[in-house]
Amino acid sequence: LRETHAAGAAAGGVDVNLLLLDGKPLAFAYNYVYRGLVYGLRVGYNSELVRDGAGNVLYAYAIRGSFERGDYTYDLGVGSLEIKRYFLTRILPSYRYSHFHLAVPKAQLLRLKRWAEHRFGQEEEEALPLAAGVGV
């Protein structure tokens, strides 16, 4: 994600939220933001300092800050709906498209691997078909 982060940061599209406890990082959310849409990419926490509900506190502050900034949608991203249940207003289908450049052999090998897995029934577990979003 290094190149994506550099491009997003240069465009002013990175939204990072950090929850501190006694000056030490407790939890974070790394998002991209564009024209009022926030897309949650990664969240995490410090397992040595974690407290019950830290994730909920982080989400609450991040969502509040997003809407104070004027964003109209905060997409919590893929992952556990159990964690996000208190913040959901709706659930929408999510789809993934892949492009494999014809001139890149490694990309073509990945394309062939995915085709074979699909063709012969050895697909890896599908990504979550749902994306959780908070909107107004």
Side-chain angles (χ1 to χ4, degrees):
L1 296 175
R2 191 169 300 173
E3 291 175 2
T4 304
H5 171 75
V14 175
D15 175 51
V16 178
N17 297 273
L18 184 61
L19 183 63
L20 302 174
L21 176 66
D22 297 329
K24 297 178 184 175
L26 180 62
F28 75 93
Y30 180 89
N31 311 310
Y32 288 123
V33 61
Y34 181 72
R35 294 187 177 179
L37 168 66
V38 178
Y39 178 76
L41 187 65
R42 296 282 189 270
V43 293
Y45 63 93
N46 183 337
S47 60
E48 295 173 5
L49 299 175
V50 73
R51 301 280 193 268
D52 289 337
N56 285 340
V57 171
L58 176 71
Y59 276 133
Y61 277 107
I63 293 167
R64 183 179 73 184
S66 172
F67 291 123
E68 286 174 352
R69 190 171 58 225
D71 298 327
Y72 65 88
T73 298
Y74 193 108
D75 185 332
L76 297 171
V78 298
S80 171
L81 292 177
E82 176 68 20
I83 295 168
K84 301 166 185 170
R85 71 184 179 276
Y86 299 115
F87 299 100
L88 296 177
T89 57
R90 61 185 169 167
I91 298 175
L92 302 171
S94 177
Y95 303 96
R96 178 179 65 188
Y97 295 93
S98 299
H99 170 74
F100 302 95
H101 196 286
L102 291 174
V104 179
K106 188 174 182 180
Q108 291 305 308
L109 286 173
L110 180 58
R111 179 177 174 218
L112 179 62
K113 175 184 177 277
R114 288 189 182 175
W115 172 84
E117 287 172 344
H118 178 75
R119 173 74 168 90
F120 300 109
Q122 298 173 351
E123 289 184 61
E124 54 188 67
E125 187 177 326
E126 289 287 322
L128 285 177
L130 304 173
V134 175
V136 290

mmCIF file of all heavy atoms in Angstrom, residues 19-54:
data_model
loop_
_atom_site.group_PDB
_atom_site.id
_atom_site.type_symbol
_atom_site.label_atom_id
_atom_site.label_comp_id
_atom_site.label_asym_id
_atom_site.label_seq_id
_atom_site.Cartn_x
_atom_site.Cartn_y
_atom_site.Cartn_z
ATOM 1 N N LEU A 19 -6.345 6.733 18.712
ATOM 2 C CA LEU A 19 -6.856 6.825 20.073
ATOM 3 C C LEU A 19 -5.694 6.580 21.024
ATOM 4 O O LEU A 19 -5.015 5.564 20.928
ATOM 5 C CB LEU A 19 -7.959 5.780 20.293
ATOM 6 C CG LEU A 19 -8.649 5.775 21.639
ATOM 7 C CD1 LEU A 19 -9.392 7.086 21.874
ATOM 8 C CD2 LEU A 19 -9.628 4.596 21.706
ATOM 9 N N LEU A 20 -5.448 7.526 21.920
ATOM 10 C CA LEU A 20 -4.330 7.428 22.861
ATOM 11 C C LEU A 20 -4.830 7.160 24.269
ATOM 12 O O LEU A 20 -5.898 7.625 24.652
ATOM 13 C CB LEU A 20 -3.529 8.733 22.860
ATOM 14 C CG LEU A 20 -2.944 9.177 21.523
ATOM 15 C CD1 LEU A 20 -2.313 10.571 21.656
ATOM 16 C CD2 LEU A 20 -1.926 8.182 21.011
ATOM 17 N N LEU A 21 -4.035 6.453 25.039
ATOM 18 C CA LEU A 21 -4.298 6.212 26.445
ATOM 19 C C LEU A 21 -3.016 6.539 27.198
ATOM 20 O O LEU A 21 -1.983 5.901 26.965
ATOM 21 C CB LEU A 21 -4.707 4.755 26.696
ATOM 22 C CG LEU A 21 -4.927 4.368 28.148
ATOM 23 C CD1 LEU A 21 -6.127 5.115 28.724
ATOM 24 C CD2 LEU A 21 -5.117 2.867 28.279
ATOM 25 N N ASP A 22 -3.067 7.560 28.048
ATOM 26 C CA ASP A 22 -1.883 8.016 28.777
ATOM 27 C C ASP A 22 -0.728 8.309 27.822
ATOM 28 O O ASP A 22 0.430 7.965 28.091
ATOM 29 C CB ASP A 22 -1.450 6.985 29.822
ATOM 30 C CG ASP A 22 -2.504 6.767 30.895
ATOM 31 O OD1 ASP A 22 -3.233 7.737 31.203
ATOM 32 O OD2 ASP A 22 -2.600 5.636 31.407
ATOM 33 N N GLY A 23 -1.044 8.900 26.669
ATOM 34 C CA GLY A 23 -0.027 9.279 25.697
ATOM 35 C C GLY A 23 0.487 8.145 24.831
ATOM 36 O O GLY A 23 1.356 8.348 24.002
ATOM 37 N N LYS A 24 -0.044 6.938 25.006
ATOM 38 C CA LYS A 24 0.403 5.789 24.213
ATOM 39 C C LYS A 24 -0.703 5.394 23.242
ATOM 40 O O LYS A 24 -1.881 5.424 23.584
ATOM 41 C CB LYS A 24 0.735 4.606 25.129
ATOM 42 C CG LYS A 24 1.879 4.880 26.063
ATOM 43 C CD LYS A 24 2.132 3.700 26.961
ATOM 44 C CE LYS A 24 3.222 4.029 27.968
ATOM 45 N NZ LYS A 24 3.407 2.957 28.927
ATOM 46 N N PRO A 25 -0.313 4.999 22.013
ATOM 47 C CA PRO A 25 -1.328 4.595 21.032
ATOM 48 C C PRO A 25 -2.102 3.367 21.500
ATOM 49 O O PRO A 25 -1.509 2.365 21.891
ATOM 50 C CB PRO A 25 -0.529 4.270 19.778
ATOM 51 C CG PRO A 25 0.880 4.611 20.058
ATOM 52 C CD PRO A 25 1.025 4.908 21.509
ATOM 53 N N LEU A 26 -3.420 3.470 21.476
ATOM 54 C CA LEU A 26 -4.288 2.369 21.893
ATOM 55 C C LEU A 26 -4.945 1.714 20.687
ATOM 56 O O LEU A 26 -4.989 0.500 20.576
ATOM 57 C CB LEU A 26 -5.351 2.887 22.860
ATOM 58 C CG LEU A 26 -6.346 1.877 23.390
ATOM 59 C CD1 LEU A 26 -5.651 0.792 24.185
ATOM 60 C CD2 LEU A 26 -7.379 2.572 24.251
ATOM 61 N N ALA A 27 -5.472 2.523 19.769
ATOM 62 C CA ALA A 27 -6.149 1.988 18.592
ATOM 63 C C ALA A 27 -6.025 3.001 17.456
ATOM 64 O O ALA A 27 -5.810 4.186 17.683
ATOM 65 C CB ALA A 27 -7.618 1.717 18.913
ATOM 66 N N PHE A 28 -6.172 2.494 16.224
ATOM 67 C CA PHE A 28 -6.092 3.378 15.067
ATOM 68 C C PHE A 28 -7.100 2.949 14.007
ATOM 69 O O PHE A 28 -7.549 1.804 13.978
ATOM 70 C CB PHE A 28 -4.682 3.356 14.452
ATOM 71 C CG PHE A 28 -4.413 2.095 13.667
ATOM 72 C CD1 PHE A 28 -4.663 2.049 12.295
ATOM 73 C CD2 PHE A 28 -3.929 0.962 14.281
ATOM 74 C CE1 PHE A 28 -4.430 0.890 11.570
ATOM 75 C CE2 PHE A 28 -3.693 -0.202 13.574
ATOM 76 C CZ PHE A 28 -3.943 -0.239 12.204
ATOM 77 N N ALA A 29 -7.439 3.886 13.152
ATOM 78 C CA ALA A 29 -8.234 3.615 11.952
ATOM 79 C C ALA A 29 -7.562 4.361 10.804
ATOM 80 O O ALA A 29 -7.262 5.549 10.920
ATOM 81 C CB ALA A 29 -9.670 4.088 12.120
ATOM 82 N N TYR A 30 -7.286 3.653 9.731
ATOM 83 C CA TYR A 30 -6.657 4.223 8.541
ATOM 84 C C TYR A 30 -7.682 4.175 7.425
ATOM 85 O O TYR A 30 -8.150 3.107 7.042
ATOM 86 C CB TYR A 30 -5.421 3.406 8.170
ATOM 87 C CG TYR A 30 -4.692 3.905 6.948
ATOM 88 C CD1 TYR A 30 -3.692 4.855 7.052
ATOM 89 C CD2 TYR A 30 -5.006 3.419 5.685
ATOM 90 C CE1 TYR A 30 -3.023 5.312 5.930
ATOM 91 C CE2 TYR A 30 -4.351 3.877 4.564
ATOM 92 C CZ TYR A 30 -3.352 4.823 4.690
ATOM 93 O OH TYR A 30 -2.692 5.274 3.582
ATOM 94 N N ASN A 31 -8.061 5.357 6.924
ATOM 95 C CA ASN A 31 -9.125 5.463 5.931
ATOM 96 C C ASN A 31 -8.676 6.318 4.759
ATOM 97 O O ASN A 31 -7.734 7.099 4.867
ATOM 98 C CB ASN A 31 -10.364 6.139 6.542
ATOM 99 C CG ASN A 31 -10.762 5.537 7.855
ATOM 100 O OD1 ASN A 31 -10.899 4.338 7.990
ATOM 101 N ND2 ASN A 31 -10.933 6.383 8.864
ATOM 102 N N TYR A 32 -9.413 6.196 3.676
ATOM 103 C CA TYR A 32 -9.279 7.117 2.558
ATOM 104 C C TYR A 32 -10.544 7.949 2.488
ATOM 105 O O TYR A 32 -11.643 7.444 2.781
ATOM 106 C CB TYR A 32 -9.064 6.381 1.238
ATOM 107 C CG TYR A 32 -7.699 5.759 1.142
ATOM 108 C CD1 TYR A 32 -7.542 4.400 0.924
ATOM 109 C CD2 TYR A 32 -6.551 6.530 1.273
ATOM 110 C CE1 TYR A 32 -6.284 3.831 0.852
ATOM 111 C CE2 TYR A 32 -5.297 5.970 1.208
ATOM 112 C CZ TYR A 32 -5.167 4.622 0.979
ATOM 113 O OH TYR A 32 -3.925 4.062 0.921
ATOM 114 N N VAL A 33 -10.398 9.209 2.105
ATOM 115 C CA VAL A 33 -11.543 10.107 2.008
ATOM 116 C C VAL A 33 -11.476 10.843 0.672
ATOM 117 O O VAL A 33 -10.400 11.258 0.238
ATOM 118 C CB VAL A 33 -11.595 11.093 3.206
ATOM 119 C CG1 VAL A 33 -10.363 11.960 3.268
ATOM 120 C CG2 VAL A 33 -12.831 11.936 3.172
ATOM 121 N N TYR A 34 -12.643 10.939 0.028
ATOM 122 C CA TYR A 34 -12.720 11.626 -1.260
ATOM 123 C C TYR A 34 -14.128 12.155 -1.453
ATOM 124 O O TYR A 34 -15.090 11.386 -1.423
ATOM 125 C CB TYR A 34 -12.360 10.668 -2.398
ATOM 126 C CG TYR A 34 -12.395 11.303 -3.767
ATOM 127 C CD1 TYR A 34 -11.415 12.218 -4.158
ATOM 128 C CD2 TYR A 34 -13.400 10.991 -4.666
ATOM 129 C CE1 TYR A 34 -11.436 12.797 -5.406
ATOM 130 C CE2 TYR A 34 -13.432 11.574 -5.933
ATOM 131 C CZ TYR A 34 -12.446 12.473 -6.295
ATOM 132 O OH TYR A 34 -12.480 13.051 -7.536
ATOM 133 N N ARG A 35 -14.232 13.463 -1.626
ATOM 134 C CA ARG A 35 -15.504 14.127 -1.908
ATOM 135 C C ARG A 35 -16.632 13.699 -0.970
ATOM 136 O O ARG A 35 -17.732 13.375 -1.389
ATOM 137 C CB ARG A 35 -15.924 13.894 -3.353
ATOM 138 C CG ARG A 35 -15.002 14.541 -4.355
ATOM 139 C CD ARG A 35 -15.540 14.419 -5.743
ATOM 140 N NE ARG A 35 -14.668 15.121 -6.670
ATOM 141 C CZ ARG A 35 -14.883 15.169 -7.958
ATOM 142 N NH1 ARG A 35 -15.930 14.576 -8.487
ATOM 143 N NH2 ARG A 35 -14.042 15.818 -8.737
ATOM 144 N N GLY A 36 -16.331 13.670 0.322
ATOM 145 C CA GLY A 36 -17.354 13.388 1.315
ATOM 146 C C GLY A 36 -17.613 11.926 1.600
ATOM 147 O O GLY A 36 -18.497 11.577 2.377
ATOM 148 N N LEU A 37 -16.838 11.031 0.983
ATOM 149 C CA LEU A 37 -16.966 9.596 1.226
ATOM 150 C C LEU A 37 -15.712 9.118 1.945
ATOM 151 O O LEU A 37 -14.598 9.299 1.449
ATOM 152 C CB LEU A 37 -17.126 8.831 -0.083
ATOM 153 C CG LEU A 37 -16.994 7.309 0.005
ATOM 154 C CD1 LEU A 37 -18.138 6.721 0.829
ATOM 155 C CD2 LEU A 37 -16.982 6.699 -1.381
ATOM 156 N N VAL A 38 -15.885 8.531 3.116
ATOM 157 C CA VAL A 38 -14.766 7.960 3.865
ATOM 158 C C VAL A 38 -14.859 6.448 3.732
ATOM 159 O O VAL A 38 -15.912 5.856 3.978
ATOM 160 C CB VAL A 38 -14.821 8.358 5.363
ATOM 161 C CG1 VAL A 38 -13.672 7.715 6.130
ATOM 162 C CG2 VAL A 38 -14.796 9.864 5.508
ATOM 163 N N TYR A 39 -13.759 5.831 3.325
ATOM 164 C CA TYR A 39 -13.716 4.377 3.187
ATOM 165 C C TYR A 39 -12.703 3.813 4.174
ATOM 166 O O TYR A 39 -11.512 4.132 4.112
ATOM 167 C CB TYR A 39 -13.333 3.960 1.760
ATOM 168 C CG TYR A 39 -13.249 2.463 1.630
ATOM 169 C CD1 TYR A 39 -14.400 1.699 1.550
ATOM 170 C CD2 TYR A 39 -12.023 1.816 1.666
ATOM 171 C CE1 TYR A 39 -14.338 0.322 1.477
ATOM 172 C CE2 TYR A 39 -11.949 0.443 1.590
ATOM 173 C CZ TYR A 39 -13.107 -0.303 1.495
ATOM 174 O OH TYR A 39 -13.043 -1.670 1.437
ATOM 175 N N GLY A 40 -13.189 2.988 5.102
ATOM 176 C CA GLY A 40 -12.322 2.376 6.107
ATOM 177 C C GLY A 40 -11.489 1.269 5.512
ATOM 178 O O GLY A 40 -12.015 0.311 4.961
ATOM 179 N N LEU A 41 -10.171 1.396 5.633
ATOM 180 C CA LEU A 41 -9.276 0.399 5.070
ATOM 181 C C LEU A 41 -8.720 -0.542 6.133
ATOM 182 O O LEU A 41 -8.769 -1.753 5.977
ATOM 183 C CB LEU A 41 -8.135 1.090 4.328
ATOM 184 C CG LEU A 41 -7.203 0.179 3.549
ATOM 185 C CD1 LEU A 41 -7.944 -0.497 2.411
ATOM 186 C CD2 LEU A 41 -6.019 0.961 3.017
ATOM 187 N N ARG A 42 -8.206 0.016 7.220
ATOM 188 C CA ARG A 42 -7.622 -0.805 8.278
ATOM 189 C C ARG A 42 -7.943 -0.210 9.642
ATOM 190 O O ARG A 42 -7.971 1.000 9.809
ATOM 191 C CB ARG A 42 -6.095 -0.861 8.157
ATOM 192 C CG ARG A 42 -5.556 -1.509 6.916
ATOM 193 C CD ARG A 42 -5.621 -3.024 7.017
ATOM 194 N NE ARG A 42 -4.925 -3.659 5.926
ATOM 195 C CZ ARG A 42 -5.486 -3.984 4.777
ATOM 196 N NH1 ARG A 42 -6.740 -3.718 4.560
ATOM 197 N NH2 ARG A 42 -4.791 -4.588 3.835
ATOM 198 N N VAL A 43 -8.152 -1.086 10.613
ATOM 199 C CA VAL A 43 -8.250 -0.694 12.015
ATOM 200 C C VAL A 43 -7.401 -1.664 12.814
ATOM 201 O O VAL A 43 -7.173 -2.799 12.398
ATOM 202 C CB VAL A 43 -9.711 -0.696 12.552
ATOM 203 C CG1 VAL A 43 -10.534 0.377 11.894
ATOM 204 C CG2 VAL A 43 -10.357 -2.041 12.390
ATOM 205 N N GLY A 44 -6.926 -1.215 13.961
ATOM 206 C CA GLY A 44 -6.120 -2.079 14.793
ATOM 207 C C GLY A 44 -5.986 -1.510 16.186
ATOM 208 O O GLY A 44 -6.459 -0.405 16.468
ATOM 209 N N TYR A 45 -5.351 -2.284 17.060
ATOM 210 C CA TYR A 45 -5.204 -1.850 18.444
ATOM 211 C C TYR A 45 -3.928 -2.420 19.036
ATOM 212 O O TYR A 45 -3.352 -3.379 18.529
ATOM 213 C CB TYR A 45 -6.408 -2.277 19.277
ATOM 214 C CG TYR A 45 -6.566 -3.782 19.373
ATOM 215 C CD1 TYR A 45 -6.007 -4.489 20.430
ATOM 216 C CD2 TYR A 45 -7.270 -4.495 18.412
ATOM 217 C CE1 TYR A 45 -6.127 -5.863 20.525
ATOM 218 C CE2 TYR A 45 -7.402 -5.868 18.497
ATOM 219 C CZ TYR A 45 -6.823 -6.546 19.553
ATOM 220 O OH TYR A 45 -6.942 -7.907 19.634
ATOM 221 N N ASN A 46 -3.494 -1.814 20.118
ATOM 222 C CA ASN A 46 -2.331 -2.263 20.870
ATOM 223 C C ASN A 46 -2.818 -3.304 21.874
ATOM 224 O O ASN A 46 -3.486 -2.967 22.850
ATOM 225 C CB ASN A 46 -1.678 -1.074 21.574
ATOM 226 C CG ASN A 46 -0.426 -1.458 22.314
ATOM 227 O OD1 ASN A 46 -0.218 -2.612 22.690
ATOM 228 N ND2 ASN A 46 0.430 -0.475 22.544
ATOM 229 N N SER A 47 -2.482 -4.560 21.636
ATOM 230 C CA SER A 47 -2.997 -5.639 22.491
ATOM 231 C C SER A 47 -2.491 -5.548 23.930
ATOM 232 O O SER A 47 -3.105 -6.096 24.831
ATOM 233 C CB SER A 47 -2.639 -6.998 21.892
ATOM 234 O OG SER A 47 -1.236 -7.140 21.791
ATOM 235 N N GLU A 48 -1.383 -4.847 24.155
ATOM 236 C CA GLU A 48 -0.873 -4.700 25.519
ATOM 237 C C GLU A 48 -1.665 -3.670 26.320
ATOM 238 O O GLU A 48 -1.679 -3.705 27.535
ATOM 239 C CB GLU A 48 0.598 -4.294 25.482
ATOM 240 C CG GLU A 48 1.498 -5.359 24.881
ATOM 241 C CD GLU A 48 2.928 -4.883 24.683
ATOM 242 O OE1 GLU A 48 3.255 -3.752 25.105
ATOM 243 O OE2 GLU A 48 3.715 -5.652 24.103
ATOM 244 N N LEU A 49 -2.307 -2.739 25.625
ATOM 245 C CA LEU A 49 -3.026 -1.667 26.309
ATOM 246 C C LEU A 49 -4.536 -1.711 26.100
ATOM 247 O O LEU A 49 -5.240 -0.843 26.593
ATOM 248 C CB LEU A 49 -2.519 -0.301 25.808
ATOM 249 C CG LEU A 49 -1.049 0.008 26.030
ATOM 250 C CD1 LEU A 49 -0.700 1.336 25.376
ATOM 251 C CD2 LEU A 49 -0.736 0.063 27.516
ATOM 252 N N VAL A 50 -5.003 -2.682 25.357
ATOM 253 C CA VAL A 50 -6.412 -2.683 24.962
ATOM 254 C C VAL A 50 -7.344 -2.705 26.168
ATOM 255 O O VAL A 50 -7.079 -3.334 27.185
ATOM 256 C CB VAL A 50 -6.729 -3.854 24.008
ATOM 257 C CG1 VAL A 50 -6.760 -5.179 24.733
ATOM 258 C CG2 VAL A 50 -8.023 -3.611 23.284
ATOM 259 N N ARG A 51 -8.415 -1.965 26.032
ATOM 260 C CA ARG A 51 -9.464 -1.921 27.047
ATOM 261 C C ARG A 51 -10.772 -2.280 26.354
ATOM 262 O O ARG A 51 -10.947 -2.029 25.169
ATOM 263 C CB ARG A 51 -9.602 -0.506 27.627
ATOM 264 C CG ARG A 51 -8.356 0.035 28.280
ATOM 265 C CD ARG A 51 -8.221 -0.533 29.704
ATOM 266 N NE ARG A 51 -7.242 0.166 30.485
ATOM 267 C CZ ARG A 51 -5.970 -0.192 30.576
ATOM 268 N NH1 ARG A 51 -5.513 -1.206 29.922
ATOM 269 N NH2 ARG A 51 -5.148 0.491 31.335
ATOM 270 N N ASP A 52 -11.697 -2.849 27.100
ATOM 271 C CA ASP A 52 -13.002 -3.158 26.517
ATOM 272 C C ASP A 52 -13.631 -1.902 25.958
ATOM 273 O O ASP A 52 -13.659 -0.866 26.608
ATOM 274 C CB ASP A 52 -13.929 -3.771 27.574
ATOM 275 C CG ASP A 52 -13.500 -5.175 27.951
ATOM 276 O OD1 ASP A 52 -12.813 -5.822 27.149
ATOM 277 O OD2 ASP A 52 -13.843 -5.609 29.061
ATOM 278 N N GLY A 53 -14.083 -1.992 24.735
ATOM 279 C CA GLY A 53 -14.788 -0.876 24.122
ATOM 280 C C GLY A 53 -13.907 0.139 23.421
ATOM 281 O O GLY A 53 -14.411 1.119 22.893
ATOM 282 N N ALA A 54 -12.595 -0.088 23.387
ATOM 283 C CA ALA A 54 -11.707 0.884 22.738
ATOM 284 C C ALA A 54 -12.062 1.062 21.268
ATOM 285 O O ALA A 54 -12.053 2.179 20.745
ATOM 286 C CB ALA A 54 -10.244 0.458 22.879
#
